[in-house]
Amino acid sequence: MSNKELIQVMDPEGRVDEAAVRGISEAEMMKMYRLMVFTRLWNTKALSLQRQGRMGTIASVRGQEAANIGMGLALGANDWFCPSFRETGTLFARGVPPENMLLYWGGDERGARPLEGSRNLPVCITVGSHVLHAAGIAFGAKISGERVAVLSSSGDGSTSQGDFHEGLNFAAVFKLPLVVAIQNNHWAISVPIWKQTATETLAEKALAHGVAGARVDGNDVLAVYLTVKRLLEEARSDYKPALVELVTYRMDDHTTADDASRYRTEEMVAPWRAKDPIDRMRAYLTKEHGWDEQKDADLVSECTAEVEQAVRSYEAVTPPEPADLFDHMYAEEPWNLREQREEMLRSLGGSGR
Amino acid sequence: MSNKELIQVMDPEGRVDEAAVRGISEAEMMKMYRLMVFTRLWNTKALSLQRQGRMGTIASVRGQEAANIGMGLALGANDWFCPSFRETGTLFARGVPPENMLLYWGGDERGARPLEGSRNLPVCITVGSHVLHAAGIAFGAKISGERVAVLSSSGDGSTSQGDFHEGLNFAAVFKLPLVVAIQNNHWAISVPIWKQTATETLAEKALAHGVAGARVDGNDVLAVYLTVKRLLEEARSDYKPALVELVTYRMDDHTTADDASRYRTEEMVAPWRAKDPIDRMRAYLTKEHGWDEQKDADLVSECTAEVEQAVRSYEAVTPPEPADLFDHMYAEEPWNLREQREEMLRSLGGSGR
Amino acid sequence: MARLSMIEAINAALHERMAADERVVVLGEDVGVDGGVFRATVGLFDKFGEMRVIDTPLAESGIVGTAIGMAIYGMRPVAEIQFEGFMFKAFDQVYSHASRIRHRSQGYFGVPLVIRAPYGAGVRALEHHSDAPEALFAHLPGMKVVIPATPADAKGLLTSAIEDPDTVIFLEPKRLYRLFKEEVPEGEYRVPLGKARLAREGTDVTLVTYGGMVPVCEKAAQHVASEGVDAEVVDLRTVWPFDVDAIEQSVNKTGRLVIVHEAPRSLGVGAEIAATVGERCLLSLLAPIKRVTGYDVIPPLAKLEDHNYPSSDRVVRAIHETMEF
Amino acid sequence: MARLSMIEAINAALHERMAADERVVVLGEDVGVDGGVFRATVGLFDKFGEMRVIDTPLAESGIVGTAIGMAIYGMRPVAEIQFEGFMFKAFDQVYSHASRIRHRSQGYFGVPLVIRAPYGAGVRALEHHSDAPEALFAHLPGMKVVIPATPADAKGLLTSAIEDPDTVIFLEPKRLYRLFKEEVPEGEYRVPLGKARLAREGTDVTLVTYGGMVPVCEKAAQHVASEGVDAEVVDLRTVWPFDVDAIEQSVNKTGRLVIVHEAPRSLGVGAEIAATVGERCLLSLLAPIKRVTGYDVIPPLAKLEDHNYPSSDRVVRAIHETMEF
Ligand SMILES: Cc1ncc(C[n+]2csc(CCOP(=O)(O)OP(=O)(O)O)c2C)c(N)n1
Ligand SMILES: Cc1ncc(C[n+]2csc(CCOP(=O)(O)OP(=O)(O)O)c2C)c(N)n1
Ligand SMILES: [Mg+2]
Ligand SMILES: [Mg+2]
């Protein structure tokens, strides 16, 4: 099908193409829903902590839960994931502890250390760069003969960066097991998608590089899951790289440092409230899978408790030692850092460690 | 018409679609032919000077004369031209003195200084970068309300560079009067086009950015001239940016420092000898415009004399003064350069200037 | 005269230059409708319109490369890179082109371009938002690097940078954007590039510094004054080519030098200052030159940020060591 | 032992490492079928195939960014940038990622990557083919920069660089590629990173240098020897972090220091050496430290190239000035 066609299996009222979702078990659907609910609660809590000065500048994922979670659950356990900075839900789906995410956004590098065995890259702030890292990981896997796929995720703005195009070209020329996902949330801070590119869609940028392209309703968690899963399978088994556009919307300010009212109106945002990914999935589960208000209330309080627990662990973490800032610069510390570390410790009166 | 279709008005036997070329006067055609002949003679001479150690490393344009000259004559006098390093013929068509080109490739910066009033950028060695300069010049013209077009030229390899894509995206988003020409000579040093990109054509890369795309027989000087002229007119009058692929072939080594026999066979090159842009134009002029061997011999000796004259002027140029290497670093020389200049002059025993 | 913060002074300079010279255009990410993430360009879009205040796609090489072309054409572009840490996607355009096109064209084309970027640590930001990369630009032949330390200097130096016929990297200490206000001359106001400012006169020891470290050094100077040590504070303003005469004069007077910058120490601007002073003033030096700088590390996130950002305590300690040598 | 030129020694190291460790892959422009524009990778493609010797599209950021990903995955990529002047399209990948991913992941991921590039002037090349940008990499926290001066060192240092768990910028002086041959150990051969080489022992003055300037300094040392001046030549080999002990010992012995590099003087590696020595050896210095370097200019094309490239005459003059101080 053409790159421009929008893939959707669940409409905003929660009506689903049952044939399309037959492959998804009820348990998997519940997992999707639960992760979306959890992510939104975590996100809301983190934003309020930020307002109270208990958290640093943070990028909200509200409205993008379906895109986040659909990607996360589509990935295989051995697949690699290369995020930018608006994939909190994907990282939760990939097993990153919620307190670690709080620690990182709270301004403590230690929160960014992946768990043992993890194949998630740390958050990449520089827009676009990590598409190339994903291509290189995919290349490494192909050279080693390991049949895994790599998923890179970035925003609509990243499609303007040279690295995005260089990465897609490498993926196409070397037939790498790479899927590049673009969360098109319509905004790059204040710059709307129509000022970012002159193309109708982002998926069609695949044509410039000869990779497969797909365009999905990013607020339809089932469509995101199914499409990304299929593309990852094709990448894994046929070395077929792809670009997939997840059409969604940034419901909050760009970050807590931003004020979107300076550049966009409520009229622009309103239509997207009706397309909320969580309401949509809830409506479907209620219609088709015996979900009800009581169960929903229980789920919410369950997740809320988990979030509160994560906040307590986050705030219980002992602050880093000053001299920790010298750690992890090299595998082996050279003389300049050793001397500077000692200089700091002397100035701290031998404190630190 | 689709980006993939090859535009040709003159076939390898010199048969021409007369309707298509009606707009071109015989005088213009003679000018094209003369410039192609002159460029080839200059190029051959420069290569032999290099072998004799009278010239530096140089990039041959043999086989690309039609692409070079077609572009050069398609440009309006007030249009801007941003070359890479394989547009010698285009620069001749734009009025650059042949002795200056010898001086530059001979390792003397002074040869790169444009003539007063020139709108040609100096040779750009870093592949891809100058597409952005061209976009910026086009932007400047648009902001100032001057109706001119900008032509950027680079090779097939440049389409892999991020800057190429960033430039096309800027051109599309801001509707800049920019035409980006790609001389697809099938090779980037030893890397063939099929290892450079997975797409069938380079013209289709226009699709990623929403600019017009066209693909032309780059050995057909009439088609190159007509197509580039049309695209420049559309850029000038409608602010319609375009990407145009000129399909040609690099007949010589990449530069005099290269040995193409290491990576390509005579079988690969042979078919292109039959497509020679100069033979083709000569056949056409002979058939349709009363050209004959005598006229051709006269033209060749005329051009040869001009080339010899250029070589004499080039070799008569007094060598630069050592301290010239401090010139043109800033509009006003800062203390560090002033002191270093004096240091050099002292060490030269007050010589230099 | 109005009391302005540094960010207001920068905004004032942009308004003034754009009104005075129609060749001046501003381009970058979120500089237009939004007014800039730090509000440096607020009001320009409404006043001068989308043809001169340009919200670009998210591509730094595209921004700088396009601005170079504009400058070649004859405009006076002021390109904003949203944070200093993102300047490196455009580094090739600076290294290979902005700093070289005058030379490459043997004086025929110039690149009168200003690249502005918020600079340095001190605002509890994310990775890449607290860097101090001035040395990487200062090492490039053909480049000028300016870092203001006061609102008035910010206006006067930015005005001179925009009028300068060559490319100027203009780094704005985020920490000072709103730290204090001062009287800033209205209308056209220039501070010459290449001239340092004597922020504090003194006789015992010279502190050479710039940007966000100037207030830190002034505080340290006040502290040691109470101990009877009279420190001179030289604010370079133009980091490269720096005002060698001002540095030389001060060091020849005091005989002692402490260099302070937030950038990593090794191969930083402080190294060049120390080397230059060593070459010119060796005999007047009464003690080894000291460098108080950021460490050779990745600028830490919020929790450890202040431990890398040089404090007045660290400067005072260095002054003590220098005086006691 | 075989007598090899530097380019042959580099090629030998690549063959040896690729045979010994299948995680080692080579990628870059024209490194495969062609064998590299300087022949550094000749024979690798036939021996190890297109999956490990990779001709890439023409995109430096793509080459380095992809190599970073390979390194994260667990490979040992050796990326070739065809000429040092083209490294800057990949500078963001080095500045923002290669040097930071270990820290960003708090030690979980490393980037064991070698970026090779022909380096420096002396071969009558085009613009961007004669640069000396080592200081730009040396200033980056987390980076290592190596520049060999002999064939044996080239093999031993490249081997160590490929085995190093962190990113190493490996710059190869073009001028030395074929200048001379020497005995180079066969098979596995390592020269440790971070350790300088005493190229010539002496007692009167120390010349600290590296790369293409080593033979220039040796020639100068021979010249002044005939005048009775005994110069010591320290070849850094690892430009950053350099061997501070070797420099300190030599300067404490001779009391005189001349630093020689072809890179632009201001904010060059020589500035850091001078600053460091000034901090540590002030009292043993008998004369101001001298720097003999390329000027702060764009490396000239062929006609003027030799006037920017420091000559042994310039070094001799500096030694005289230092001795006569
Ligand atoms: C290379 C780079 N330039 C600028 C920034 C500053 N910045 C952070 S997020 C952002 C907008 C990103 O937009 P998009 O890619 O659509 O992702 P979104 O924030 O919408 O998820 C910008 C400009 C950056 N992080 N990296
Ligand atoms: C950024 C950059 N990388 C590498 C080089 C070295 N180099 C010079 S020409 C060339 C191949 C260019 O191929 P193409 O763009 O097709 O132009 P052509 O030489 O075929 O005209 C390369 C790799 C360069 N000049 N610039
Ligand atoms: Mg977005
Ligand atoms: Mg080519």
Side-chain angles (χ1 to χ4, degrees):
Chain A
M1 86 165 92
S2 121
N3 288 351
K4 297 189 180 186
E5 232 169 280
L6 188 75
I7 301 171
Q8 184 188 73
V9 303
M10 172 166 61
D11 73 13
E13 283 65 47
R15 282 185 298 266
V16 164
D17 169 352
E18 281 299 337
V21 301
R22 199 158 290 121
I24 312 177
S25 74
E26 190 170 71
E28 286 173 301
M29 292 183 175
M30 288 315 307
K31 190 169 178 192
M32 290 179 195
Y33 183 63
R34 186 186 207 288
L35 273 162
M36 290 198 292
V37 169
F38 178 84
T39 300
R40 182 163 296 182
L41 289 165
W42 181 96
N43 188 71
T44 307
K45 182 67 186 187
L47 295 180
S48 78
L49 290 176
Q50 192 280 335
R51 280 189 297 276
Q52 301 158 33
R54 295 157 63 193
M55 168 61 51
T57 300
I58 179 164
S60 169
V61 295
R62 192 161 68 88
Q64 299 181 217
E65 293 89 352
N68 269 224
I69 304 302
M71 282 194 284
L73 295 179
L75 280 157
N78 294 329
D79 290 340
W80 287 74
F81 179 59
C82 307
S84 62
F85 45 79
R86 209 179 295 278
E87 290 84 5
T88 307
T90 319
L91 291 168
F92 289 155
R94 292 276 289 174
V96 174
E99 55 269 34
N100 289 21
M101 292 295 287
L102 291 170
L103 197 60
Y104 171 72
W105 291 105
D108 188 329
E109 286 82 358
R110 294 172 301 174
R113 185 184 165 96
L115 300 185
E116 281 323 303
S118 161
R119 287 183 154 191
N120 303 323
L121 258 50
V123 161
C124 177
I125 298 287
T126 60
V127 170
S129 322
H130 66 288
V131 176
L132 285 166
H133 308 157
I137 292 169
F139 214 149
K142 184 173 183 176
I143 295 167
S144 317
E146 193 198 10
R147 301 314 294 252
V148 293
V150 181
L151 178 65
S152 162
S153 172
S154 55
D156 42 288
S158 71
T159 64
S160 294
Q161 289 282 12
D163 282 356
F164 164 82
H165 291 281
E166 295 187 16
L168 283 180
N169 187 46
F170 271 59
V173 166
F174 297 112
K175 301 193 169 46
L176 303 179
L178 173 68
V179 176
V180 174
I182 300 298
Q183 292 193 81
N184 176 3
N185 65 6
H186 288 70
W187 295 91
I189 305 187
S190 73
V191 178
I193 186 67
W194 61 88
K195 283 184 166 189
Q196 195 69 241
T197 179
T199 57
E200 224 179 292
T201 72
L202 297 177
E204 65 201 271
K205 293 184 185 288
L207 299 171
H209 303 291
V211 302
R215 188 158 184 267
V216 188
D217 179 343
N219 284 10
D220 171 353
V221 68
L222 300 170
V224 172
Y225 173 78
L226 289 167
T227 309
V228 175
K229 197 168 203 285
R230 172 175 56 82
L231 295 173
L232 286 168
E233 273 156 12
E234 290 170 1
R236 230 181 272 114
S237 48
D238 315 335
Y239 291 126
K240 185 173 161 212
L243 172 67
V244 56
E245 173 183 6
L246 310 177
V247 181
T248 179
Y249 205 84
R250 200 194 77 212
M251 300 304 289
D252 286 334
D253 294 335
H254 168 68
T255 64
T256 50
D258 176 48
D259 171 8
S261 70
R262 294 200 300 245
Y263 53 79
R264 72 180 188 184
T265 63
E266 169 56 23
E267 292 64 56
M268 294 170 153
V269 184
W272 287 88
R273 301 194 194 287
K275 301 183 187 172
D276 184 79
I278 295 180
D279 295 349
R280 189 186 297 201
M281 188 64 176
R282 187 189 309 103
Y284 167 62
L285 292 177
T286 308
K287 269 207 296 299
E288 307 294 337
H289 296 274
W291 194 250
D292 62 31
E293 294 199 346
Q294 186 50 51
K295 289 182 179 147
D296 207 63
D298 297 346
L299 176 67
V300 168
S301 48
E302 211 177 289
C303 293
T304 309
E306 281 177 38
V307 169
E308 291 305 335
Q309 179 49 47
V311 173
R312 278 191 297 278
S313 332
Y314 156 60
E315 294 192 320
V317 172
T318 50
E321 293 293 336
D324 291 357
L325 61 82
F326 293 105
D327 296 347
H328 308 303
M329 288 304 302
Y330 297 87
E332 203 183 319
E333 188 161 84
W335 65 271
N336 57 313
L337 288 174
R338 199 166 54 248
E339 290 187 359
Q340 291 175 21
R341 184 192 284 269
E342 285 155 10
E343 179 186 321
M344 173 195 268
L345 293 181
R346 267 198 314 281
S347 75
L348 295 168
S351 94
R353 68 144 157 60
Chain B
M1 89 165 84
S2 121
N3 287 353
K4 297 188 181 185
E5 233 169 281
L6 188 75
I7 302 172
Q8 183 189 74
V9 301
M10 173 167 59
D11 71 15
E13 284 65 44
R15 283 184 297 266
V16 164
D17 168 352
E18 282 298 337
V21 301
R22 199 157 292 121
I24 313 178
S25 74
E26 189 169 70
E28 287 173 299
M29 291 183 176
M30 289 313 308
K31 191 170 177 192
M32 290 178 196
Y33 181 65
R34 187 187 206 288
L35 274 161
M36 290 198 291
V37 169
F38 178 84
T39 300
R40 181 163 297 183
L41 289 165
W42 182 96
N43 188 73
T44 308
K45 182 68 183 185
L47 296 181
S48 77
L49 290 177
Q50 192 279 335
R51 280 189 298 275
Q52 301 159 32
R54 295 157 65 192
M55 168 62 48
T57 301
I58 181 165
S60 170
V61 294
R62 193 162 65 89
Q64 298 182 216
E65 293 90 350
N68 269 223
I69 303 303
M71 284 195 282
L73 295 179
L75 281 157
N78 293 329
D79 291 339
W80 287 74
F81 179 58
C82 306
S84 60
F85 45 80
R86 210 179 295 277
E87 289 85 6
T88 307
T90 319
L91 291 167
F92 288 156
R94 293 277 289 175
V96 174
E99 54 271 32
N100 289 20
M101 291 297 286
L102 292 169
L103 197 60
Y104 171 73
W105 291 105
D108 188 330
E109 286 83 358
R110 294 172 301 175
R113 185 183 164 98
L115 300 185
E116 281 321 303
S118 161
R119 287 182 155 193
N120 303 323
L121 259 49
V123 161
C124 179
I125 299 286
T126 60
V127 169
S129 320
H130 66 288
V131 176
L132 285 166
H133 308 157
I137 291 168
F139 213 149
K142 184 173 184 178
I143 294 166
S144 319
E146 194 197 9
R147 304 310 295 253
V148 291
V150 181
L151 178 64
S152 164
S153 172
S154 53
D156 41 289
S158 71
T159 64
S160 295
Q161 289 282 12
D163 281 357
F164 164 82
H165 291 281
E166 295 187 16
L168 282 179
N169 187 46
F170 272 59
V173 166
F174 297 112
K175 300 193 171 43
L176 303 178
L178 174 69
V179 175
V180 174
I182 300 298
Q183 292 193 83
N184 177 3
N185 65 5
H186 289 71
W187 296 90
I189 307 186
S190 73
V191 179
I193 187 67
W194 61 88
K195 283 182 163 190
Q196 196 66 244
T197 179
T199 57
E200 225 179 292
T201 73
L202 296 177
E204 65 202 271
K205 293 183 185 292
L207 299 170
H209 304 290
V211 301
R215 187 155 185 269
V216 187
D217 179 341
N219 285 11
D220 171 353
V221 68
L222 299 170
V224 173
Y225 172 79
L226 288 167
T227 308
V228 174
K229 198 169 200 288
R230 171 173 58 80
L231 295 172
L232 285 168
E233 271 156 15
E234 289 171 2
R236 228 181 275 116
S237 49
D238 314 338
Y239 291 125
K240 185 174 160 209
L243 172 67
V244 56
E245 174 183 6
L246 310 177
V247 182
T248 181
Y249 205 83
R250 200 195 77 212
M251 300 305 289
D252 286 334
D253 294 335
H254 169 68
T255 65
T256 50
D258 176 49
D259 172 6
S261 70
R262 292 199 302 243
Y263 52 79
R264 73 179 188 185
T265 63
E266 169 56 24
E267 293 64 57
M268 295 169 149
V269 184
W272 289 88
R273 301 194 192 286
K275 299 183 189 173
D276 184 79
I278 296 180
D279 295 349
R280 189 187 298 201
M281 188 64 175
R282 187 188 309 105
Y284 166 62
L285 293 177
T286 307
K287 268 204 299 295
E288 306 292 339
H289 296 274
W291 194 250
D292 60 31
E293 294 199 347
Q294 185 52 51
K295 291 182 177 149
D296 209 61
D298 296 346
L299 175 66
V300 168
S301 49
E302 212 179 288
C303 293
T304 308
E306 280 178 39
V307 168
E308 292 305 336
Q309 180 49 48
V311 172
R312 279 190 298 276
S313 333
Y314 155 60
E315 295 193 320
V317 172
T318 50
E321 292 293 335
D324 291 357
L325 61 81
F326 293 105
D327 295 347
H328 308 303
M329 288 304 302
Y330 298 86
E332 205 183 317
E333 187 160 84
W335 65 270
N336 56 312
L337 288 175
R338 200 168 50 249
E339 292 187 0
Q340 291 174 20
R341 183 192 285 271
E342 286 154 11
E343 180 185 322
M344 173 196 269
L345 293 181
R346 266 198 313 281
S347 74
L348 295 169
S351 94
R353 66 144 160 56
Chain C
M1 300 270 267
R3 293 185 64 76
L4 303 180
S5 65
M6 182 181 284
I7 193 74
E8 291 165 337
I10 288 164
N11 181 252
L14 292 171
H15 272 278
E16 193 277 322
R17 278 297 86 199
M18 288 196 78
D21 182 351
E22 63 176 15
R23 298 171 306 169
V24 178
V25 300
V26 165
L27 69 160
E29 296 156 8
D30 309 291
V31 297
V33 176
D34 183 57
V37 295
F38 284 103
R39 329 298 302 126
T41 56
V42 75
L44 296 173
F45 185 84
D46 295 340
K47 186 104 152 275
F48 302 103
E50 64 174 3
M51 287 297 273
R52 289 181 63 201
V53 184
I54 302 156
D55 277 320
T56 67
L58 211 176
E60 286 73 17
S61 189
I63 292 166
V64 173
T66 304
I68 288 170
M70 290 175 170
I72 288 171
Y73 180 81
M75 314 299 289
R76 294 288 179 139
V78 180
E80 176 177 301
I81 299 299
Q82 200 162 72
F83 287 90
E84 72 288 357
F86 308 128
M87 299 176 86
F88 300 95
K89 286 188 181 290
F91 197 67
D92 179 59
Q93 286 291 344
V94 176
Y95 175 101
S96 301
H97 303 292
S99 67
R100 289 173 174 239
I101 282 171
R102 177 181 297 284
H103 181 263
R104 185 175 303 147
S105 67
Q106 292 288 290
Y108 183 77
F109 293 116
V111 184
L113 162 65
V114 177
I115 304 176
R116 290 181 46 244
Y119 160 93
V123 298
R124 305 273 179 267
L126 297 167
E127 192 188 356
H128 310 290
H129 293 63
S130 303
D131 295 3
E134 63 271 21
L136 299 173
F137 295 99
H139 182 56
L140 305 186
M143 217 21 64
K144 296 180 182 181
V145 182
V146 173
I147 306 182
T150 73
D153 275 3
K155 182 177 179 181
L157 290 165
L158 181 53
T159 300
S160 301
I162 293 171
E163 293 179 334
D164 194 89
D166 289 302
T167 298
V168 177
I169 305 293
F170 194 87
L171 300 171
E172 306 166 356
K174 294 173 202 90
R175 185 128 183 298
L176 304 184
Y177 267 156
R178 298 183 167 81
L179 191 67
F180 64 95
K181 297 189 175 213
E182 73 176 359
E183 295 295 329
V184 176
E186 276 160 41
E188 279 193 11
Y189 175 62
R190 295 176 182 75
V191 170
L193 305 186
K195 293 264 159 283
R197 178 180 67 97
L198 206 55
R200 184 184 197 283
E201 272 205 64
T203 53
D204 301 335
V205 56
T206 299
L207 308 183
V208 170
T209 187
Y210 51 89
M213 289 293 110
V214 171
V216 171
C217 288
E218 288 169 330
K219 184 155 173 250
Q222 279 160 24
H223 180 97
V224 294
S226 65
E227 308 166 345
V229 175
D230 188 10
E232 178 150 298
V233 179
V234 177
D235 169 9
L236 286 181
R237 301 202 285 201
T238 295
V239 167
W240 187 257
F242 54 59
D243 186 343
V244 67
D245 300 334
I247 296 170
E248 224 177 312
Q249 274 171 32
S250 181
V251 173
N252 285 334
K253 175 172 68 175
T254 65
R256 293 183 161 87
L257 173 60
V258 177
I259 301 158
V260 184
H261 59 61
E262 66 173 285
R265 172 170 318 169
S266 300
L267 287 103
V269 171
E272 182 57 42
I273 297 170
T276 303
V277 168
E279 283 158 1
R280 295 166 185 249
C281 313
L282 188 65
L283 299 185
S284 40
L285 280 178
L286 305 169
I289 297 165
K290 287 232 156 260
R291 289 182 282 174
V292 178
T293 68
Y295 302 111
D296 293 344
V297 301
I298 307 305
L301 299 181
K303 294 268 169 71
L304 292 179
E305 182 171 22
D306 295 340
H307 288 283
N308 188 50
Y309 200 72
S311 63
S312 58
D313 288 1
R314 283 177 63 196
V315 177
V316 167
R317 196 169 302 106
I319 295 173
H320 287 162
E321 289 165 1
T322 309
M323 297 306 296
E324 288 152 16
F325 180 81
Chain D
M1 301 270 269
R3 290 187 64 76
L4 302 180
S5 66
M6 182 181 282
I7 194 73
E8 291 165 336
I10 287 163
N11 182 251
L14 292 171
H15 272 277
E16 192 277 322
R17 276 298 86 200
M18 288 197 78
D21 181 351
E22 65 176 13
R23 298 171 306 168
V24 177
V25 300
V26 165
L27 70 161
E29 295 155 9
D30 309 291
V31 298
V33 176
D34 182 57
V37 295
F38 284 102
R39 328 300 301 126
T41 56
V42 75
L44 295 174
F45 185 85
D46 294 340
K47 188 103 152 274
F48 302 104
E50 64 174 5
M51 288 299 272
R52 290 181 63 198
V53 184
I54 303 156
D55 276 319
T56 67
L58 212 175
E60 286 72 16
S61 189
I63 292 166
V64 173
T66 303
I68 288 170
M70 290 176 171
I72 289 171
Y73 179 81
M75 315 299 288
R76 295 287 179 138
V78 180
E80 174 177 304
I81 299 298
Q82 200 161 74
F83 286 90
E84 71 289 355
F86 308 128
M87 297 175 87
F88 300 96
K89 289 191 177 288
F91 197 67
D92 179 60
Q93 286 292 345
V94 177
Y95 175 102
S96 300
H97 302 292
S99 67
R100 289 171 174 242
I101 282 171
R102 176 182 298 284
H103 180 263
R104 184 176 302 145
S105 66
Q106 292 287 290
Y108 184 76
F109 293 116
V111 184
L113 162 66
V114 176
I115 304 176
R116 291 181 46 244
Y119 160 93
V123 298
R124 305 275 180 266
L126 296 167
E127 193 189 355
H128 310 291
H129 295 62
S130 305
D131 295 3
E134 64 272 20
L136 299 173
F137 295 99
H139 182 56
L140 305 186
M143 219 17 66
K144 296 180 183 182
V145 182
V146 173
I147 306 183
T150 73
D153 274 4
K155 181 176 180 182
L157 290 165
L158 182 53
T159 300
S160 300
I162 293 171
E163 292 179 333
D164 195 89
D166 289 302
T167 298
V168 177
I169 306 293
F170 194 87
L171 300 171
E172 305 165 358
K174 295 176 202 87
R175 185 126 183 299
L176 303 185
Y177 267 157
R178 296 183 171 80
L179 191 67
F180 64 95
K181 298 191 175 210
E182 73 176 0
E183 295 295 329
V184 176
E186 276 161 41
E188 278 193 13
Y189 174 63
R190 296 174 181 77
V191 171
L193 304 187
K195 294 264 159 283
R197 177 179 69 98
L198 207 54
R200 184 184 196 283
E201 272 205 66
T203 54
D204 301 335
V205 55
T206 299
L207 308 183
V208 171
T209 189
Y210 51 89
M213 289 293 112
V214 171
V216 172
C217 288
E218 287 169 330
K219 184 153 172 250
Q222 280 157 25
H223 179 96
V224 295
S226 64
E227 309 166 344
V229 175
D230 187 10
E232 179 151 295
V233 179
V234 177
D235 169 7
L236 286 181
R237 300 202 288 201
T238 296
V239 167
W240 189 256
F242 53 59
D243 186 344
V244 68
D245 299 334
I247 297 170
E248 222 177 316
Q249 274 170 33
S250 181
V251 173
N252 284 335
K253 174 173 68 175
T254 65
R256 294 183 160 86
L257 175 60
V258 176
I259 302 158
V260 184
H261 59 61
E262 65 173 286
R265 172 170 319 170
S266 299
L267 287 104
V269 171
E272 181 57 42
I273 297 169
T276 302
V277 169
E279 284 159 2
R280 294 165 185 250
C281 314
L282 187 65
L283 300 187
S284 39
L285 279 178
L286 305 169
I289 297 166
K290 287 234 156 258
R291 289 182 282 173
V292 177
T293 68
Y295 302 112
D296 294 344
V297 301
I298 308 306
L301 299 182
K303 293 270 171 69
L304 292 178
E305 182 171 22
D306 295 340
H307 288 285
N308 188 49
Y309 200 72
S311 63
S312 56
D313 288 1
R314 283 177 63 196
V315 177
V316 166
R317 197 171 300 105
I319 295 172
H320 288 161
E321 289 166 1
T322 309
M323 297 307 296
E324 288 152 15
F325 182 79

